[in-house]
């Protein structure tokens, strides 16, 4: 039985690593809204205190600046550990290859060790990158993937594959209650404008009336999920009785060129697209098969592309000082 469904104690203490990041901060908000306590841990390598400043003074919230590749000392009870710390954009893991490998490997070992010592449940943020440049489309959880271990993206992909293996080993050997979410491309407020990912890159370029930098010919595809949908799926997974990986993402797929056209239209920018070299090992296609999430979690995305993108553009306009957020 997982700790959230143990009704003896309604208010749980949750550790969220990467708590000042895009997803970690949204997950924190969801856990606090559900009445839980959150201890966020982040070394602020790619996270930012701006994402958590609204939580200052919240009695149920505590922030610890710490690198979880080092031993984590936490006194007191912990009911749940969510391991979300990692650089997560291709730009970031090219800039920080060794910290990316370390947080996926040593950080996962330390956070699993913390969960074991506290008798807590554990959820790891894994990724669609475990499928690499996939030869099966859309991607189902039973696909083993097509990853180049020594390519530039290998530092992220292999760290997450190791993290999944380590998590299953703790589940099987130590009988830890563990969950694995494979997160597909997600967007929304609190992404970093300069993190290099296509959503902030194109929106930032369009808002500044600059050319949109399309890598390759733009025929590669991605499927974009709005952050509130993703967080709801993860929240449900945390209480579900399943230890197998679960894909969470939005199956609506488009080419990067179509995505660029949509951003130009929705921002009203006069930007053109410029075509740059395709990064090495950039996956040609990506779309989650969410049959398992539907069956096990009763979950599917509900925020459409138009609504999600409008909210995201509004966030970046505010961030750039262009207008107040609606
Ligand atoms: N991309 C692009 N221009 C950019 C940034 C990204 O064309 O300025 C492309 C990138 O090559 C990839 C897709 O957009 O095919 C999504 O890239 P992102 O970095 O968002 O994440 P990925 O899905 O590759 O992890």
């Amino acid at each position: 039985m997982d700790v959230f469904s143990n009704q003896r104690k309604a208010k749980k203490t949750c550790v969220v690593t990467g708590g000042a990041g895009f997803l970690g901060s949204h997950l924190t908000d969801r856990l606090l809204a559900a009445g839980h306590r959150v201890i966020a841990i982040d070394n602020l390598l790619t996270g930012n205190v701006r994402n958590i400043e609204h939580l200052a003074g919240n009695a149920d919230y505590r922030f610890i600046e710490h690198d979880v590749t080092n031993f984590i000392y936490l006194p007191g009870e912990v009911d749940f550990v969510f391991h979300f710390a990692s650089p997560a954009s291709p730009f970031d893991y090219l800039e920080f290859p060794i910290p990316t490998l370390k947080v996926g490997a040593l950080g996962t070992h330390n956070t699993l060790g913390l969960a074991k010592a506290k008798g807590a449940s554990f959820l790891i943020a894994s990724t669609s990158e475990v499928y690499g440049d996939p030869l099966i489309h859309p991607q189902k959880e039973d696909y083993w993937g097509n990853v180049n271990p020594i390519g530039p993206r290998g530092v992220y992909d292999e760290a997450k594959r190791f993290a999944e293996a380590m998590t299953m080993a703790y589940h099987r050997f130590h009988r830890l209650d563990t969950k694995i979410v494979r997160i597909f491309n997600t967007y929304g407020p609190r992404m970093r404008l300069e993190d290099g990912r296509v959503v902030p890159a194109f929106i930032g370029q369009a808002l500044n009336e600059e050319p949109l930098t399309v890598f390759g010919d733009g025929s590669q595809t991605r499927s974009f999920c709005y952050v509130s949908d993703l967080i709801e799926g993860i929240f449900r997974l945390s209480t579900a009785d399943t230890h197998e990986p679960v894909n969470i993402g939005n199956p609506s797929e488009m080419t990067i060129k179509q995505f660029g056209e949509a951003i130009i239209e929705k921002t009203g920018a006069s930007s053109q697209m410029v075509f740059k070299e395709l990064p090495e090992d950039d996956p040609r296609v990506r779309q989650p098969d969410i049959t398992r999430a539907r069956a096990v979690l009763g979950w599917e995305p509900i925020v459409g592309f138009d609504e999600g993108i409008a909210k995201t553009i509004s966030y970046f306009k505010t961030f750039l000082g262009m207008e107040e957020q609606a």
Side-chain angles (χ1 to χ4, degrees):
M1 187 168 73
D2 68 77
V3 289
F4 278 0
S5 58
N6 177 351
Q7 293 304 321
R8 279 180 300 134
K9 199 168 120 200
K11 187 171 197 146
K12 312 293 181 191
T13 298
C14 307
V15 170
V16 179
T17 76
F22 167 46
L23 297 182
S25 66
H26 282 288
L27 176 64
T28 295
D29 289 342
R30 183 70 175 82
L31 293 167
L32 290 170
H36 301 304
R37 274 185 79 221
V38 172
I39 303 170
I41 306 179
D42 203 302
N43 68 349
L44 302 177
L45 181 68
T46 58
N48 197 306
V49 287
R50 203 183 305 114
N51 294 335
I52 51 171
E53 61 191 6
H54 61 288
L55 299 173
N58 185 325
D60 287 327
Y61 181 73
R62 190 175 150 212
F63 177 75
I64 299 172
E65 188 173 342
H66 177 70
D67 179 347
V68 296
T69 64
N70 300 312
F71 184 83
I72 306 160
Y73 173 73
L74 268 187
E77 284 182 21
V78 173
D79 301 300
F80 213 113
V81 177
F82 293 88
H83 183 32
F84 276 63
S86 178
S89 85
F91 273 32
D92 286 342
Y93 42 79
L94 284 181
E95 192 179 353
F96 306 114
I98 294 167
T100 301
L101 279 160
K102 285 176 74 178
V103 76
L106 307 180
T108 301
H109 189 211
N110 287 334
T111 50
L112 280 163
L114 175 70
K116 177 169 158 272
K118 302 289 186 182
S121 293
F122 180 87
L123 187 150
I124 175 91
S126 185
T127 169
S128 55
E129 285 281 324
V130 300
Y131 303 121
D133 190 4
L135 306 176
I136 299 285
H137 192 69
Q139 292 77 55
K140 277 178 92 144
E141 290 89 346
D142 60 6
Y143 176 48
W144 292 353
N146 178 39
V147 171
N148 174 6
I150 57 163
R153 301 174 84 107
V155 296
Y156 184 65
D157 303 8
E158 295 297 1
K160 291 293 189 181
R161 289 166 69 96
F162 175 90
E164 288 197 9
M166 185 64 114
T167 300
M168 289 309 291
Y170 266 66
H171 173 66
R172 294 195 181 106
F173 189 74
H174 291 307
R175 304 253 158 255
L176 204 68
D177 175 37
T178 59
K179 336 270 173 181
I180 298 172
V181 58
R182 289 187 181 150
I183 298 171
F184 283 65
N185 292 69
T186 302
Y187 69 98
R190 301 185 194 160
M191 290 188 99
R192 269 165 47 237
L193 202 53
E194 71 290 0
D195 86 353
R197 278 186 280 195
V198 72
V199 174
F202 282 8
I203 294 177
Q205 289 159 349
L207 292 177
N208 288 318
E209 298 284 350
E210 291 164 1
L212 271 55
T213 52
V214 176
F215 298 161
D217 62 4
S219 63
Q220 71 272 32
T221 69
R222 294 294 186 272
S223 310
F224 297 103
C225 184
Y226 190 65
V227 62
S228 59
D229 279 337
L230 181 97
I231 295 297
E232 179 59 27
I234 290 171
F235 188 76
R236 290 191 195 186
L237 177 61
S238 69
T239 61
D241 189 19
T242 186
H243 309 289
E244 301 288 312
V246 179
N247 289 340
I248 301 281
N250 190 322
S252 77
E253 184 182 4
M254 65 181 81
T255 67
I256 292 305
K257 197 158 167 252
Q258 286 169 335
F259 178 68
E261 285 160 0
I263 295 300
I264 290 173
E265 190 218 302
K266 287 178 191 307
T267 54
S270 56
S271 303
Q272 305 289 313
M273 294 189 218
V274 291
F275 295 87
K276 306 262 179 189
E277 202 182 330
L278 189 69
E280 204 179 328
D281 297 334
D282 197 291
R284 294 293 313 155
V285 290
R286 184 180 290 154
Q287 188 203 127
D289 181 317
I290 59 166
T291 308
R292 185 176 287 174
R294 281 199 176 101
V296 176
L297 312 177
W299 173 91
E300 61 182 4
I302 55 172
V303 180
F305 182 74
D306 290 349
E307 183 188 347
I309 280 294
K311 286 182 173 160
T312 309
I313 291 172
S314 165
Y315 169 80
F316 282 121
K317 277 187 176 169
T318 307
F319 186 84
L320 290 168
M322 291 179 163
E323 71 177 30
E324 284 307 304
Q325 201 165 356

